[in-house]
Amino acid sequence: GARCFLARLCRMDERGEWQLAKDFRTGARKYARTIFRCRGSVLPYGALFALPGTIATAILHLTWNPELKGSENLEVSRFGDVWTAYTFSLGFLVVFRNNQAYNRFWEGASKVHEIRGELYSCASTLMAFCTSEEEKQGEVEDFQHLLIRLISLLFATCMSEISLDEDDEAPDDMMQVIDLTGIDRQSLDHLECAPSRCEVIVQWITRLMIQALRAGVLDVPPPILNRSTMDLAMAIVDIYRVRKIKEVPFPFPYSQMVLLMLSVYTLVTPVIASQLIDSSIMATLATFCVTTAFWSLYQIADEIDQPFGTDPNDLPMQRIQTDFNDSLLFLMRPETQCVPPFVRPSTAMRLTKVTKKDHMGSGRKVSAASMEHLIVASPVPAPAPAPTQPEVLPLPQPLRKKPGVKKKRRTRTPEAEASVVVIPFEVQIEEGRDEQAAEQ
């Protein structure tokens, strides 16, 4: 550990700046933004609840027994020993409440992403199972267009049911769905009055798969098609698990007991602090800090207990839905459904680097160009001509080290370091490493 610290301390970047000082400034700015950030913070609520007790502490310290403080006040001193056990019980309940709230938050976030992955897996496998016969391409296009619309509608319905309340259906809070134009209006009216819309949409998708299999649109044996039905079944099960978090609140007895004990603590702490602490400033500061900490911890649990909604600390449901629609629209492109042609190179394999990309960082929306492509694009392209296989040269055999001969270490030249070929989708391939790959 000390060696790594010294190595980092002595390292400098390209501009000659010490790396440790640079990291310290970056971390200090990051921590400062986190501490003083107001959006999503619970500290103002905790301070608001602690403010009356703080004022009461200052008043009691100046007016009640001003000459009898600390250990000299035997009555309050003995009561302070009992109050310590009460504070320990309250802290235990608050920590238990926070643990349960965090578990619910993490389970909700995990299940939402699992539902997204299962629905996308279902759509992707059904796209791959479509037949390539020319006479059925029209039916294949109709099947794929209806499929992604129903998948998008299912995910949006699930997200809206768990994130929106009855009095919160504002236009800005509604989920985005791929264009439903073309779906029978009577079916949409039936979906509107259904007690559980997700169940109806799952039934539609299941019937769509069975009809496509009988019509020959899906060119796959029924046992293989069971993979898609299993993904759909797992998605509906996870939807019910997410509903459990939304519909089943934290047990009322625990909430009532914690709130009651917090209220008693807020009322009694000013009395104890004003008599046991000699300094009025220290008594006031201690009351404010301790009471703010307890109320802030409880507010954290109350904030993350329901992770679905529009609050600053809730999950970004609209961004998740928008990203899912983008993935479905990109799945409809011919280049996505067509296997890329490949010609095995005659040289040794090279190492590849893929740069990082945040698929939800920009918060993008479905563009009009994507919707236009969805309408006019042909989902199943014509099969590409088979590429001719070039003559494959044998790979060089690795050299064996002779006994008694020290092998020289090979170094990369500046030309090899600079030869980086950039190809689409943010993939970088480094050239000049054929010799090292051949040796390996």
Side-chain angles (χ1 to χ4, degrees):
R3 187 183 305 172
C4 295
F5 176 77
L6 292 176
R8 191 173 186 82
L9 179 64
C10 300
R11 191 174 67 219
M12 301 179 65
D13 58 4
E14 295 80 2
R15 296 177 298 179
E17 184 177 5
W18 295 107
Q19 186 67 28
L20 187 62
K22 182 179 178 181
D23 294 345
F24 178 78
R25 288 198 304 270
T26 304
R29 288 193 296 265
K30 178 182 177 181
Y31 299 151
R33 287 194 300 265
T34 303
I35 293 174
F36 296 103
R37 176 182 172 181
C38 295
R39 187 174 183 272
S41 176
V42 298
L43 292 177
Y45 297 96
L48 183 62
F49 282 104
L51 186 60
T54 303
I55 298 175
T57 302
I59 296 175
L60 290 174
H61 196 281
L62 297 176
T63 59
W64 184 25
N65 294 332
E67 298 179 355
L68 191 62
K69 302 295 181 181
S71 59
E72 298 179 359
N73 195 335
L74 298 179
E75 295 181 359
V76 180
S77 178
R78 294 171 182 175
F79 182 77
D81 298 335
V82 181
W83 189 247
T84 303
Y86 182 88
T87 305
F88 175 80
S89 302
L90 177 60
F92 177 80
L93 285 178
V94 171
V95 170
F96 173 76
R97 177 73 174 93
N98 274 269
N99 289 337
Q100 296 301 316
Y102 181 78
N103 291 336
R104 289 166 62 90
F105 180 87
W106 185 251
E107 183 182 2
S110 301
K111 292 304 176 184
V112 166
H113 285 80
E114 287 179 9
I115 294 171
R116 184 198 185 282
E118 290 159 358
L119 292 180
Y120 184 83
S121 176
C122 178
S124 177
T125 52
L126 290 176
M127 294 281 190
F129 292 160
C130 291
T131 182
S132 58
E133 298 180 3
E134 294 293 338
E135 60 274 8
K136 292 185 177 295
Q137 290 309 306
E139 299 180 11
V140 169
E141 293 180 12
D142 295 339
F143 168 77
Q144 294 183 350
H145 279 250
L146 179 58
L147 175 65
I148 67 164
R149 283 168 168 83
L150 292 181
I151 292 290
S152 175
L153 181 61
L154 175 59
F155 192 70
T157 303
C158 172
M159 297 297 102
S160 62
E161 287 182 355
I162 64 177
S163 61
L164 297 180
D165 298 330
E166 296 180 358
D167 302 332
D168 198 23
E169 291 194 3
D172 297 337
D173 298 333
M174 299 179 67
M175 296 298 166
Q176 183 188 75
V177 185
I178 297 178
D179 187 20
L180 300 179
T181 304
I183 300 180
D184 182 38
R185 182 63 189 179
Q186 185 177 0
S187 300
L188 295 179
D189 294 338
H190 173 73
L191 180 64
E192 182 70 22
C193 62
S196 180
R197 300 176 184 177
C198 294
E199 298 173 356
V200 177
I201 301 174
V202 168
Q203 182 67 17
W204 286 353
I205 297 175
T206 306
R207 290 294 303 171
L208 179 64
M209 289 190 290
I210 300 302
Q211 294 176 3
L213 181 62
R214 293 178 178 176
V217 176
L218 297 178
D219 187 13
V220 63
I224 305 300
L225 184 62
N226 186 44
R227 174 62 183 174
S228 300
T229 58
M230 287 298 299
D231 288 335
L232 192 61
M234 293 172 61
I236 190 63
V237 171
D238 288 335
I239 288 175
Y240 279 111
R241 291 175 179 171
V242 170
R243 282 184 180 178
K244 174 194 66 176
I245 301 175
K246 177 68 176 179
E247 298 173 358
V248 180
F250 188 76
F252 170 73
Y254 279 109
S255 300
Q256 184 185 36
M257 192 63 186
V258 174
L259 280 175
L260 180 61
M261 293 185 68
L262 272 175
S263 301
V264 173
Y265 185 85
T266 306
L267 295 176
V268 178
T269 299
V271 179
I272 303 299
S274 63
Q275 300 303 309
L276 292 183
I277 302 178
D278 297 333
S279 174
S280 60
I281 297 178
M282 295 303 298
T284 304
L285 183 61
T287 302
F288 178 78
C289 293
V290 175
T291 310
T292 301
F294 272 111
W295 279 106
S296 299
L297 288 175
Y298 180 80
Q299 187 65 28
I300 290 174
D302 191 60
E303 186 77 13
I304 67 176
D305 185 72
Q306 292 290 340
F308 314 112
T310 57
D311 295 336
N313 295 311
D314 292 336
L315 298 176
M317 311 300 293
Q318 293 182 345
R319 290 175 56 191
I320 295 175
Q321 174 67 32
T322 303
D323 177 73
F324 183 66
N325 291 334
D326 290 347
S327 299
L328 292 178
L329 292 176
F330 203 82
L331 182 62
M332 285 291 295
R333 294 190 178 184
E335 296 84 356
T336 306
Q337 302 186 35
C338 182
V339 179
F342 175 74
V343 179
R344 190 176 64 177
S346 58
T347 58
M349 290 186 294
R350 298 172 295 180
L351 299 180
T352 303
K353 290 184 178 180
V354 180
T355 58
K356 298 180 180 179
K357 182 178 181 182
D358 185 8
H359 66 99
M360 290 182 56
S362 58
R364 58 188 184 278
K365 298 181 179 180
V366 179
S367 59
S370 300
M371 295 301 299
E372 182 180 0
H373 170 79
L374 177 63
I375 299 175
V376 302
S378 175
V380 179
T388 58
Q389 295 289 342
E391 181 182 359
V392 179
L393 299 178
L395 296 177
Q397 298 295 331
L399 299 178
R400 296 184 178 180
K401 183 178 178 181
K402 297 181 179 180
V405 179
K406 185 176 181 181
K407 185 178 179 180
K408 295 183 179 180
R409 178 178 298 178
R410 300 192 179 190
T411 58
R412 299 180 61 183
T413 61
E415 293 78 5
E417 291 284 352
S419 60
V420 177
V421 181
V422 181
I423 62 177
F425 296 101
E426 300 186 2
V427 177
Q428 294 182 350
I429 299 178
E430 292 188 355
E431 294 183 350
R433 305 191 66 173
D434 297 343
E435 298 179 358
Q436 295 183 2
E439 293 180 2
Q440 295 176 359

